[in-house]
Each structure stands twice: as structure tokens, then as C-alpha cells.
């Protein structure tokens, strides 16, 4: 029988290396080099969300889409150039991701007080946390010290960001590939309690699937015709679309998941129990969501001398 020791050693080495990288991130990373960084980000996020509530979900999503493509390295913010194709034109991002102007504004403010000290990747991580808090959600400690990538990956963005058409097993696998467990996946999905979805991403569900509330179908069809209106948007949680709470899970129990992937969390499968718990225990959801966000924000960060601190989040120095 073949020995399993090489595999065991490689797995152990991977997790040891991962723990070393994450240990380089610290909550007080900018305490001396840019002591007003976190306050500057928080103030800007509060202002942006107050101006447009939807921006909270947009900033949270930016961080998620950044971390799922080669780690939390700010790659999602890079613009295309004549010689470089970034991630903004990937299927999950094109005509969908937003909030870049808010990040630009924050970066400009911070560059004004601490030039080339605070990374775009760290700004994304803090802005995501502050967005959730601004909409009534939980807070968590954001460990800092990420550096910015000098490249991006269109192919990885197209393949690694979970699609709204995925079944539970595929969702679980994609998150597992990033070191996130099933509990993390179900908790992070709760971010959809403040999100919006484009018609193109739920059209098949409302016109073809049966495990969906009929009143929700009627409502969604009014804004999502069979063949037009791809970019028309509807809230993923119609009950409280701009409040970070547990109504997303309550809706799933009533077959009111807007996306196919959402309803997979309560569809007679292994995720049903945890979804039911979150629907009645918001404190538990908040605790698990916070823990999962910390884990997600630690995915493969660039630290030390890797990468760079971009002056402008849209382009390499």
C-alpha cells in the first residue's frame, strides 16, 4: 500500500505556511506609520453609505471578489490597459461591481496624510467591515499589513468567484478551495442580506424553477422580463434590503431566495440546519459571519517585500 506521508507532510507544510503569512498581519499595523488611517476609512465609508445605502453591499462585495481571486491583494481594483487585462471585465464583475470611486476617494485622502503607506488591499478589508457596521451589522478586528498585487487574473476571476447558478455541492467546493468551511460559506452568504442582484442572474430561477414563492416570482418578473432588462436590479432581501440582519435566512425558509445559489442553503440538504439556526438566532449569525470574514480576509495576502503599496488603486506604480 502506498505511503501517505508525503501528502500529509505537504498538507501540514501548506497550513504552516498559511499560518505564518496570516501571523504577519496585525491589528495595529498602521498605529505608528499612519495612525489616522482607520478613522479616515471609517468616516469615508459612513459618508458614502449615508449618501447611498446600497454602497455598503457594494464595498463588501468588492472585498469578497478581491479575496477569491489569488487572495486579498487589491487585484480587483486594477484597470485594463493596452497591454494588460484585469479582473473588472470578468463575467462576475462586468457591469456588476461598483464602489471603485469610493475606494479611489479613500485612497486619495490617505495618500494625503501617509503617502505610500496604506495598501489598497487593506482599504478594501477595512471598508468592508465598516460598511457592515454602518448598516447595523457586527464588527470584527481587521488584521492589516497586506500589500498590493502588480497583476490580476481574468481567468481566475471567471472560474473562482461563485456563480449564482451553483448547487450546494459546488458552492461548498469553491469555498473549500479557499480554506473556508461549510459554516463559513453559509455565514458569508448572509452578506446577501444587503445585496442587489441583476435580472440576468435570477431570470432562469423565476421563469423555470418551482422551489420559489409565487408572490416573489410575480414581484421579480415585473422588473425582469424574459428577454430584456439584464441589468435591472432587485434586492436579495426584499424585507430589509438596507439593514444587515438575518432576514436573508428567514426568507430562505419561505422559499424567497432570489438566486438559485441562495435557495440551495435551504432546499432539503445539509445546509438546512445552519440556515434555520441563523433565521432564529441573529447573534449566532453575527458571530459566525465575523469569524468567517476574518478567515476570508486572510486568504493569501502579500506581505513583507512582496507586491507594492500602490499610489493609485487602479494601476501599478
Amino acid at each position: 500500500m502506498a505511503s501517505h506521508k508525503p501528502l500529509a507532510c505537504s498538507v501540514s507544510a501548506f497550513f504552516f505556511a498559511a499560518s505564518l503569512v496570516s501571523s504577519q498581519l496585525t491589528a495595529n499595523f498602521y498605529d505608528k506609520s499612519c495612525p489616522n488611517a482607520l478613522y479616515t476609512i471609517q468616516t469615508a465609508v459612513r459618508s458614502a453609505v449615508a449618501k447611498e445605502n446600497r454602497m455598503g453591499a457594494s464595498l463588501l462585495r468588492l472585498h469578497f471578489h478581491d479575496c477569491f481571486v489569488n487572495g486579498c491583494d487589491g487585484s480587483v481594483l486594477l484597470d485594463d490597459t493596452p497591454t494588460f487585462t484585469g479582473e473588472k471585465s470578468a463575467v462576475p464583475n462586468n457591469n456588476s461591481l461598483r464602489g471603485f470611486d469610493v475606494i479611489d476617494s479613500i485612497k486619495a485622502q490617505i495618500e494625503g496624510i501617509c503617502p505610500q503607506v496604506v495598501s489598497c488591499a487593506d482599504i478594501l478589508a477595512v471598508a468592508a467591515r465598516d460598511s457592515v457596521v454602518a448598516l447595523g451589522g457586527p464588527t470584527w478586528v481587521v488584521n492589516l499589513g497586506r500589500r498590493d498585487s502588480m497583476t490580476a487574473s481574468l481567468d481566475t476571476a471567471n472560474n473562482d468567484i461563485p456563480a449564482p447558478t451553483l448547487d450546494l455541492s459546488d458552492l461548498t467546493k469553491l469555498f473549500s478551495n479557499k480554506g473556508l468551511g461549510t459554516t463559513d460559506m453559509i455565514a458569508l452568504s448572509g452578506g446577501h442580506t444587503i445585496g442587489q442582484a441583476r435580472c440576468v442572474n435570477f431570470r432562469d430561477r423565476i421563469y423555470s424553477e418551482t422551489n420559489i414563492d409565487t408572490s416573489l416570482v410575480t414581484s421579480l418578473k415585473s422588473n425582469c422580463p424574459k428577454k430584456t432588462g439584464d441589468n435591472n436590479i432587485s434586492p436579495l432581501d426584499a424585507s430589509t434590503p438596507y439593514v444587515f440582519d438575518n432576514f436573508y435566512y428567514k426568507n430562505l425558509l419561505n422559499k424567497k431566495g432570489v438566486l438559485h445559489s441562495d435557495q440551495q442553503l435551504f432546499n432539503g440538504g445539509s445546509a438546512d440546519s445552519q440556515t434555520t439556526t441563523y433565521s432564529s438566532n441573529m447573534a449566532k449569525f453575527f458571530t459566525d459571519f465575523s469569524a468567517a470574514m476574518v478567515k476570508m480576509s486572510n486568504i493569501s495576502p502579500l506581505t513583507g517585500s512582496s507586491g507594492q503599496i500602490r499610489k493609485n488603486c487602479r494601476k501599478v506604480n
Side-chain angles (χ1 to χ4, degrees), residues 246-265:
N246 64 338
F247 267 84
Y248 167 79
Y249 300 102
K250 294 177 184 287
N251 293 335
L252 295 183
L253 266 60
N254 293 309
K255 297 184 179 180
K256 291 185 177 181
V258 174
L259 301 177
H260 174 86
S261 55
D262 287 331
Q263 197 58 57
Q264 286 293 295
L265 302 187

Side-chain angles (χ1 to χ4, degrees), residues 5 7 17 33 40 125 141 146 156 167 191 225 227 241 259 262 293 299:
K5 288 184 179 179
L7 175 61
S33 60
T40 301
V141 174
R146 299 167 193 78
T156 306
D167 291 332
K227 297 184 178 180
L259 301 177
D262 287 331
M293 284 297 296
I299 297 175

